[in-house]
Amino acid sequence: MSITALDKEYVAGTYGRFPVELVSGKGSVFTGSDGKRYIDMGSGIGVTAFGCADDVWVAAVTAQLGKLQHASNLYYTEPCAKLAQALCEKTGMKKVFFSNSGAEANECAIKVARKYSAEKKGDEYYTIITLVNSFHGRTLTTLSATGQEHFHKLFNPLTPGFVSVEANNVAALEEAVATCKPAGIMFEVVQGEGGVLPLTAEFVTTAAKLAKEHDIPLMVDEVQTGNGRTGKLYGYMHFGIQPDIVSTAKGLGGGLPIGATLMSEKVQNVLGPGDHGSTYGGNPVCCAGALSVIDRLDDAFLAEVQAKSAYIFSALEGAAGIQSVSGMGLMIGIKTDRPAKEIVLECIKKGVLCLTAKDKVRLLPALNIPMDVLKEAVEIIKEACAN
Ligand SMILES: *Cc1c(COP(=O)(O)O)cnc(C)c1O
């Protein structure tokens, strides 16, 4: 049986997969089971920050793999402690909780916000304000946080205590803050799954101001926007705000599963012994990989991410068949004349792997994609959009 046939037979049918079987890769180029070369413009949905089988990352991971692959959180291990230190020093946050995915990082964020507000203001302050068109994960609670009705259907009852207000609508946010007894305000600075839509600076700074005035934890979901993706270490850093809770995952591990919830001074001691936990959280191999990723995201590297972003915007904006280009850094949405799915399938035929987000073609290339490879892919995407 082919890989595709086996998968269709035995793997739960939750994914609409593209007709590609990937076998191996190096950097931003994959090889398919048919020997075909594919340029990767999706990095496993923003995960392989330094591409496939990157030498530095492989060395960091394999060195740890041969020493100690798992210890549990009953003991201290160096990669976990050092990664937490690096994340705190680079963000000004004070404590980190490690988990295994974006949804789990958000679950922890929600628990921190609820416990902080319950202790500070009372049990009735449990509601988290999220945004319409947001995406926060697939567990029942993060699904409840996700402001997109079509994800909720047939999974009711959801976790109570979430309201969603329209993105970039300051009046709606003020109204919710005044009326819903909030425990937190939670958003992505660029809505990824929602269609690569950046929030306005006015909305983000107003939310931060309201959160501070009313002592409501400000929670930024940086699962997709984090770890250099937008051209800064974390997306919130474009807006001059300091969140109370930052959740991240995807690009952090460079390809291994890890989630992290960063807590500011204000909420750093909210979780105590027994309040939360994860068997795999802080796994030494995942943390060693993540530490190698975080160490490389310095200002010079992030400036290159921004330069590549500027190149993509200037190459695509106004090109034939392209209505608009949105996003930040190497997180880009393209509104095309033809349906996004058709463009993606045509790009596959021409050897380029892209993603979609809602009605857009979405690009999340590896942050270190070489300029010549990027140019080759962009030309092919332009051709596909023009037809
Ligand atoms: C992908 C994503 C998640 C969920 O992450 P998982 O690792 O799939 O659980 C949550 N929030 C945002 C913004 C995401 O992009």
Side-chain angles (χ1 to χ4, degrees):
M1 259 175 142
S2 70
I3 302 168
T4 300
L6 269 180
D7 186 292
K8 283 193 194 294
E9 178 81 20
Y10 293 110
V11 177
T14 55
Y15 303 108
R17 299 201 206 274
F18 292 113
V20 180
E21 296 175 352
L22 293 176
V23 173
S24 61
K26 192 69 193 168
S28 286
V29 176
F30 282 126
T31 304
S33 59
D34 52 358
K36 189 169 161 174
R37 170 181 180 268
Y38 294 98
I39 299 177
D40 173 25
M41 293 296 283
S43 63
I45 321 188
V47 166
T48 49
F50 286 88
C52 186
D54 171 77
D55 290 335
V56 175
W57 181 85
V58 168
V61 168
T62 50
Q64 184 57 42
L65 195 55
K67 268 200 284 196
L68 178 72
Q69 85 274 30
H70 177 79
S72 90
N73 283 303
L74 299 173
Y75 310 102
Y76 299 96
T77 55
E78 184 177 281
C80 171
K82 286 210 159 154
L83 177 60
Q85 177 190 29
L87 288 169
C88 288
E89 286 180 356
K90 284 173 182 262
T91 59
M93 303 297 267
K94 299 295 181 200
K95 291 271 193 287
V96 183
F97 179 87
F98 290 114
S99 53
N100 315 287
S101 66
E104 284 173 278
N106 285 333
E107 290 271 345
C108 176
I110 292 161
K111 283 178 81 171
V112 172
R114 283 204 171 154
K115 189 171 176 212
Y116 175 84
S117 298
E119 283 180 339
K120 199 88 191 256
K121 299 178 180 172
D123 276 343
E124 70 277 23
Y125 282 81
Y126 58 75
T127 298
I128 312 280
I129 302 172
T130 71
L131 301 184
V132 172
N133 198 43
S134 59
F135 183 83
H136 298 298
R138 302 288 197 155
T139 63
L140 276 169
T141 292
T142 56
L143 203 59
S144 312
T146 293
Q148 300 190 54
E149 293 282 321
H150 69 100
F151 283 116
H152 297 172
K153 254 193 340 212
L154 302 178
F155 294 112
N156 288 303
L158 298 176
T159 306
F162 292 90
V163 298
S164 44
V165 303
E166 195 190 349
N168 296 328
N169 184 336
V170 168
L173 179 65
E174 284 170 341
E175 157 102 21
V177 165
T179 56
C180 81
K181 296 193 168 42
I185 300 173
M186 180 177 186
F187 53 74
E188 309 146 84
V189 292
V190 183
Q191 293 189 325
E193 304 304 311
V196 201
L197 300 168
L199 297 183
T200 62
E202 188 205 359
F203 185 81
V204 172
T205 51
T206 305
K209 194 168 131 264
L210 282 170
K212 195 163 183 190
E213 279 169 13
H214 296 265
D215 193 11
I216 307 163
L218 183 68
M219 313 155 71
V220 182
D221 178 346
E222 297 264 7
V223 172
Q224 193 162 153
T225 51
N227 315 300
R229 178 53 56 189
T230 67
K232 299 242 187 218
L233 186 58
Y234 289 97
Y236 74 79
M237 293 173 173
H238 290 279
F239 297 89
I241 60 162
Q242 189 63 49
D244 299 302
I245 308 171
V246 170
S247 41
T248 191
K250 290 200 167 98
L252 178 60
L256 285 172
I258 184 169
T261 309
L262 281 56
M263 292 163 265
S264 71
E265 190 160 12
K266 171 158 133 169
V267 297
Q268 64 172 320
N269 295 319
V270 169
L271 294 182
D275 277 339
H276 200 42
S278 164
T279 300
Y280 282 123
N283 172 276
V285 179
C286 298
C287 286
L291 190 54
S292 88
V293 168
I294 287 295
D295 276 348
R296 294 162 82 184
L297 300 177
D298 58 20
D299 289 345
F301 182 81
L302 293 172
E304 283 176 40
V305 170
Q306 295 194 7
K308 286 173 199 169
S309 172
Y311 160 73
I312 297 175
F313 272 92
S314 69
L316 296 182
E317 274 177 331
I322 294 177
Q323 294 171 14
S324 62
V325 186
S326 65
M328 265 178 142
L330 290 177
M331 182 174 176
I332 289 177
I334 312 165
K335 180 87 189 74
T336 51
D337 287 346
R338 281 164 57 209
K341 183 89 190 281
E342 265 180 52
I343 306 281
V344 172
L345 288 172
E346 191 162 325
C347 285
I348 289 175
K349 285 197 190 132
K350 295 171 189 271
V352 174
L353 303 181
C354 304
L355 307 168
T356 60
K358 284 266 176 84
D359 60 345
K360 305 231 179 102
V361 176
R362 175 172 45 156
L363 308 180
L364 297 171
L367 304 181
N368 68 341
I369 185 170
M371 205 57 204
D372 57 328
V373 179
L374 177 60
K375 283 190 171 159
E376 194 186 337
V378 166
E379 283 313 309
I380 289 169
I381 293 164
K382 273 170 75 172
E383 260 175 50
C385 293
N387 286 335

